[in-house]
Amino acid sequence: MAYQPVRQPRLADVITERIEAMILEGSLKPGQRLPPERELAEQFGVSRPSLREAIQKLAARGLLISRQGGGTFISEALTSGYSDPILEMLSRHGEFHLDLLEFRDAMEGISAYYAALRSTPTDRALLIKRFEELDACFQGKDPVREAKADAAFHLAIAEGAHNVLLLHTIRGIFHLLERSIVDNLAHLFEKKNSRDTLMAQHRALLDAILEGRAEDARDRAHEHMVYVEEGLLELARAETRAQRALRRAQTTPAPRRDAAS
């Protein structure tokens, strides 16, 4: 019986697969600049011609962008899970916020669960850093900065879950997430003590992940999203009541005066 000879993979193909894996796992992020060619070749332990061939393949696949005199970058197109026209369209519809909250409830609950089980010391250090940045932003009471820090904290949880589909799904809506959180926080902060409540929920979620309590982490993520959704619904109902009362006041005829008085 004749056996087919075992073919060794070409070095450029091995490098290509390695860089693709680093992009998928989040080690290389969209917009990030690759190290200089000499340095990268040394890190991989390969020749510069083989590395150059791999970079050309990745560029042809749309994963890398080379800029004349500026280096090679991971394509930022990898983050464009939703186009700007869709963002604008969704922002004009009131049900958009609740749809995104329901989606976040599902995705972030799973992310928290797996982050509690799988996060490494490096992941947990980053998560603590993102929480501290969020806490500092909440002290400053700037909804835009708070929203960016809030989204970054939740993205760090997704990174710690070590599931590439979860990570890239959440990363793909990152800008959508930031915009939604800005609107959510602007409304929620009208409630007394809402900042303290939100930070307490984030702290409970962080602690559950750091302590490896997977079920509890998923529950804390769900509790957080329910609080946000119920808060928005409550404020929407209050606004509807206020508008209704205003319309009544504007349409109620003035009391008639008695001609004899």
Side-chain angles (χ1 to χ4, degrees), residues 32-218:
Q32 181 176 338
R33 181 177 180 176
L34 290 180
E37 187 178 282
R38 180 188 303 174
E39 180 181 335
L40 196 57
E42 290 177 356
Q43 289 178 6
F44 285 140
V46 298
S47 67
R48 294 176 67 176
S50 294
L51 176 65
R52 198 172 298 124
E53 183 181 348
I55 289 176
Q56 290 172 350
K57 285 189 174 185
L58 292 165
R61 295 175 185 177
L63 299 176
L64 297 182
I65 301 293
S66 295
R67 299 174 186 169
Q68 188 66 32
T72 302
F73 297 78
I74 308 300
S75 173
E76 294 190 33
L78 296 176
T79 64
S80 59
Y82 290 80
S83 64
D84 287 340
I86 292 179
L87 285 178
E88 294 300 326
M89 181 173 61
L90 289 173
S91 67
R92 290 194 295 270
H93 292 266
E95 68 270 20
F96 152 67
H97 296 286
L98 295 181
D99 288 345
L100 181 56
L101 285 173
E102 289 178 355
F103 178 82
R104 286 184 61 192
D105 192 358
M107 293 296 100
E108 294 188 21
I110 297 172
S111 294
Y113 179 89
Y114 285 120
L117 293 177
R118 300 172 176 171
S119 59
T120 67
T122 301
D123 295 325
R124 292 191 286 273
L126 177 62
L127 194 53
I128 292 170
K129 179 183 178 183
R130 293 289 180 259
F131 175 82
E132 291 173 346
E133 291 169 350
L134 175 60
D135 190 31
C137 286
F138 267 45
Q139 299 301 324
K141 299 185 178 181
D142 179 345
V144 175
R145 288 189 64 215
E146 289 165 341
K148 289 183 179 294
D150 194 313
F153 173 72
H154 288 284
L155 181 59
I157 294 175
E159 291 174 346
H162 290 276
N163 181 298
V164 295
L165 290 179
L166 271 176
L167 174 60
H168 288 281
T169 298
I170 293 178
R171 180 177 285 162
I173 64 163
F174 189 74
H175 298 297
L176 181 64
L177 189 61
E178 283 186 353
R179 181 178 299 190
S180 174
I181 292 175
V182 168
D183 294 336
N184 294 347
L185 293 182
H187 286 85
L188 285 175
F189 288 162
E190 296 177 15
K191 295 179 61 177
K192 186 178 181 181
N193 300 323
S194 59
R195 275 186 170 87
D196 292 339
T197 300
L198 288 168
M199 282 310 302
Q201 291 174 348
H202 284 122
R203 165 60 77 179
L205 174 57
L206 173 67
D207 288 344
I209 293 172
L210 295 180
E211 295 167 12
R213 294 182 278 112
E215 297 284 354
D216 196 25
R218 181 168 56 192

